[in-house]
Structure formats: structure tokens, C-alpha cells
Amino acid sequence: MNKELLGFISLFIALFIGALYYTNLIQSPIVSVLNFIKISYNDATSYIEQTIDKHIFQTRQIETLQENVLQYEKNHFVMHQMAKEIQDLYRENNSLFKLNPDVALVRSISYSKMGDFNKVWLEFDDFNNSKIYGLVYKEMVAGIVVSHKNKPLALLNRDIKSSYSVTIGEQNAPGIAHGNNTENLLVKFIPSWVTIDVGDEVMTSGLDGIFFKGVKVGKVLSISSSQGYQSAIIEPYYKAMNPNYFHAIMRVR
């Protein structure tokens, strides 16, 4: 490239820049386009920032509300147990006993065996492998927790080894509930001299050290008698197939 051509190009660039700087006819549309681009960019970045802030706020708010709901369920469940105990204490002339019930939130991990939906491994802090824990889902009995290979295993209601003490109806007929590997539960060893009826509500007795008193189990569907005892088929309230969370009863009193 010769010096004359280089000089001509330099002069052209200088004149073009000068025209842009001093000539409104050329400058105005270019500035307008640049301003539009800047405004659009600022609007876009502001919108993105606001959206991110809003999303973060909503996420935190949802997490807070979820924590509050879980804490509410725990507190409500403990208060339900204490109310039952207090009612009994009033019946005993306001006897003074110390009550310290406790529950803990536990999380499902996986089924222990493919095809068996009644056994679930749990994530369970402070698990004591020498204890049996009551397992509750939204104030309904879901099953029990036992130690298997020193790990917490949930035996849900329908499992035949899921067993706990219950009472039936207004007369509080005692019995032992357990799973039957079917849709319904079975309550056995109900004294024959206590009247129970179809439709009676079944609740935990609180006498086995596993559950609080008065946790809902289900309703009586049918009754039979054999060898001096009554048995009852129970339609359980808990029917969830794959809940993520339960409450485990750490301490009854």
C-alpha cells in the first residue's frame, strides 16, 4: 500500500469521524440506535436481576414455609399426645407427672427389596438399634421402625411383622394390630366380653412404649370370634405408597 492511498484512507476516516461528531443529520440516528441498544440492554439486565432476586426470594420463602409446616406437624403431633395424657391426668384427680414426648423427622431412602413395598430404608439421625420406634405420617400410624443390619428399616402397616398395641371403640377394647400383607390390617386378642362394632375407630393405646396414645390407625370393617377372643379386620387410614418423610416417635413420655 503506497503512502498516497494510506493518506487518503486516514483523511477519509478523520472526515467521517468529524461528520459524526459535528453533523446532527448523521449523528442523531446513530445515537438513537446506540441509546436504544443501551436501554434495551439495561432493561434486560434489570429484568434478569429482578427475576433472579424474585426467584431466590421465593425459593427461600418456600423453604421457610416448608420448614414451618414440618415444625407445625411435629408440634401439633406432640401437643395431641400431651392433650391425651392431660385428659387422663385430670381423671386421676390432677395427678402430677412429668411429660416429655419427642418426635423426629425421618426421610425415606429406598425400598429394602424390589417388589416389597412394605419395607423402606430410612435416613434417621440418632437412631438406636436397640429400640423400636413408632412411625407416623400426618397423624396416622404408618408402621414401626426396627433395626435390620444395624440400620433403620421401616416396616409399614401392611407388613406382617409391623405390630403394636391398639384400642377399639368407645369402650377402648384392647388388641394387637399387625399387617397381613394385604390391603387391610388385622387386630387380634380382643377380649370377647368387650363389645366392638363395625365402624368403630381404632387408635394406638400408648401402652407398648412405641406410640403415643390416641394416634389414628383405622376403622373396623368386620369382626370374628375364635378361642375366647375376637379379631377384627381394619381399614387403615394410612394408604400412601411412596411418602418422602415420616415422623418417628423418639420418646413416648
Side-chain angles (χ1 to χ4, degrees), residues 66-235:
Q66 288 175 335
E67 292 174 358
N68 290 341
V69 167
L70 293 174
Q71 187 63 37
Y72 165 78
E73 289 182 357
K74 174 180 177 179
N75 292 341
H76 183 70
F77 189 56
V78 171
M79 289 174 64
H80 175 75
Q81 156 64 6
M82 294 183 69
K84 289 286 185 181
E85 295 281 356
I86 290 170
Q87 288 175 5
D88 290 346
L89 291 178
Y90 275 119
R91 295 190 186 99
E92 296 294 331
N93 299 316
N94 296 324
S95 300
L96 298 177
F97 292 99
K98 292 183 179 179
L99 301 175
N100 191 24
D102 189 25
V103 299
L105 187 68
V106 297
R107 184 168 65 176
S108 303
I109 299 175
S110 66
Y111 294 115
S112 67
K113 184 188 298 184
M114 294 299 293
D116 186 350
F117 304 113
N118 297 323
K119 295 183 177 69
V120 180
W121 292 116
L122 299 176
E123 181 182 352
F124 190 156
D125 295 334
D126 301 324
F127 174 70
N128 183 341
N129 59 18
S130 66
K131 290 183 60 176
I132 297 175
Y133 299 86
L135 195 66
V136 178
Y137 180 74
K138 294 184 177 180
E139 302 182 24
M140 301 175 292
V141 173
I144 62 174
V145 182
V146 299
S147 176
H148 183 66
K149 298 180 180 179
N150 292 322
K151 296 179 181 179
L153 179 66
L155 304 179
L156 300 183
N157 266 341
R158 295 187 177 97
D159 190 272
I160 197 168
K161 293 184 178 180
S162 176
S163 179
Y164 45 88
S165 175
V166 297
T167 59
I168 302 175
E170 294 182 357
Q171 296 190 41
N172 293 321
I176 304 297
H178 62 78
N180 203 25
N181 286 331
T182 62
E183 181 180 358
N184 298 314
L185 310 181
L186 179 64
V187 177
K188 302 177 69 174
F189 304 113
I190 307 166
S192 59
W193 61 86
V194 183
T195 300
I196 59 174
D197 298 303
V198 172
D200 279 351
E201 191 163 47
V202 181
M203 296 187 177
T204 54
S205 69
L207 299 177
D208 51 15
I210 299 175
F211 286 99
F212 299 153
K213 179 179 180 179
V215 185
K216 294 182 178 182
V217 177
K219 287 189 176 183
V220 175
L221 290 178
S222 63
I223 304 164
S224 61
S225 298
S226 177
Q227 299 180 350
Y229 289 98
Q230 300 179 89
S231 298
I233 301 297
I234 308 301
E235 179 184 7

